[in-house]
């Protein structure tokens, strides 16, 4: 990994610590500098050169400069853009808080990198069913086209909250004034 990426990362970390929020990666258009040997596994573990990245602060920092482009997932700074490998979704929703009931219900998820996301019009829940197994794979939009796979434990919590939808035979949950279908009644 080039040394100058760490200089850019240090300034981003300083900005984040000052409460400035997420960097505006969608406005940065640096030249593509190639691929970097960073991968995100299906379980949300980040790897560099095949070794798990143990520093949670570094993983969080990398997660703030992650962007999904038409050619794949990239880490982006104002000066560099490097493609990484993502096995499934870059994040995992590991916790869920519930407030209210029915259409007024708010479901707020915490990701493995510390993002808090309330499901609603800008952050939708979707469930993909495996073509051979019919096993559900639930996802939550986090930001800018990036998604979190909803962990099995959290999906079970969602299933406990499920209510019948408008279409006969479908179950789902409310959040942010929207109904999100989880699946068919068994």
């Amino acid at each position: 990994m080039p040394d100058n990426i760490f200089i850019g990362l240090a300034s981003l970390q300083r900005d984040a610590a000052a409460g400035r929020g997420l960097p505006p990666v969608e406005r940065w258009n640096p030249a593509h500098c190639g691929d970097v040997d960073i991968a995100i596994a299906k379980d949300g573990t980040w790897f560099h050169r095949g070794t798990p990245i143990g520093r949670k602060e570094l993983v969080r920092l990398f997660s703030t400069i992650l962007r999904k482009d038409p050619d794949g997932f990239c880490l982006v700074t104002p000066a560099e853009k490097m493609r990484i490998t993502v096995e499934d979704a870059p994040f995992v929703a590991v916790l869920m808080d519930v407030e209210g009931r029915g259409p007024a219900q708010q479901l707020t998820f915490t990701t493995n990198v510390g993002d808090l996301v309330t499901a609603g019009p800008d952050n939708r829940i979707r469930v993909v069913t495996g073509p051979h197994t019919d096993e559900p794979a639930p996802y939550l939009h986090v930001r800018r086209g990036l998604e979190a796979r909803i962990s099995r434990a959290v999906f079970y919590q969602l299933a406990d909250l499920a209510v019948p939808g408008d279409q006969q035979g479908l179950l789902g949950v409310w959040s942010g004034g929207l109904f999100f279908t989880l699946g068919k009644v068994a």
Side-chain angles (χ1 to χ4, degrees), residues 4-18:
N4 56 347
I5 191 172
F6 289 111
I7 295 169
L9 290 174
S11 67
L12 292 171
Q13 189 171 27
R14 181 192 63 230
D15 289 350

Side-chain angles (χ1 to χ4, degrees), residues 19-70:
R20 294 194 180 117
L22 294 170
V25 295
E26 70 281 359
R27 292 186 295 195
W28 296 340
N29 295 302
H32 181 71
C33 298
D35 296 353
V36 64
D37 192 4
I38 292 179
I40 305 172
K42 186 176 180 178
D43 69 358
T45 303
W46 288 59
F47 292 87
H48 179 247
R49 296 183 180 166
T51 302
I53 299 174
R55 293 186 50 214
K56 290 181 182 183
E57 299 85 2
L58 187 58
V59 169
R60 172 64 187 161
L61 183 59
F62 281 147
S63 79
T64 66
I65 60 168
L66 182 63
R67 184 170 81 189
K68 185 176 182 183
D69 287 349

Side-chain angles (χ1 to χ4, degrees), residues 4 8 23 26 31 47-48 55 60 75 79 81 86 90 112 133 158-159 164 181:
N4 56 347
E26 70 281 359
F47 292 87
H48 179 247
R55 293 186 50 214
R60 172 64 187 161
L75 296 178
K81 172 182 167 181
V86 177
N112 60 315
T133 64
L158 283 173
T181 301

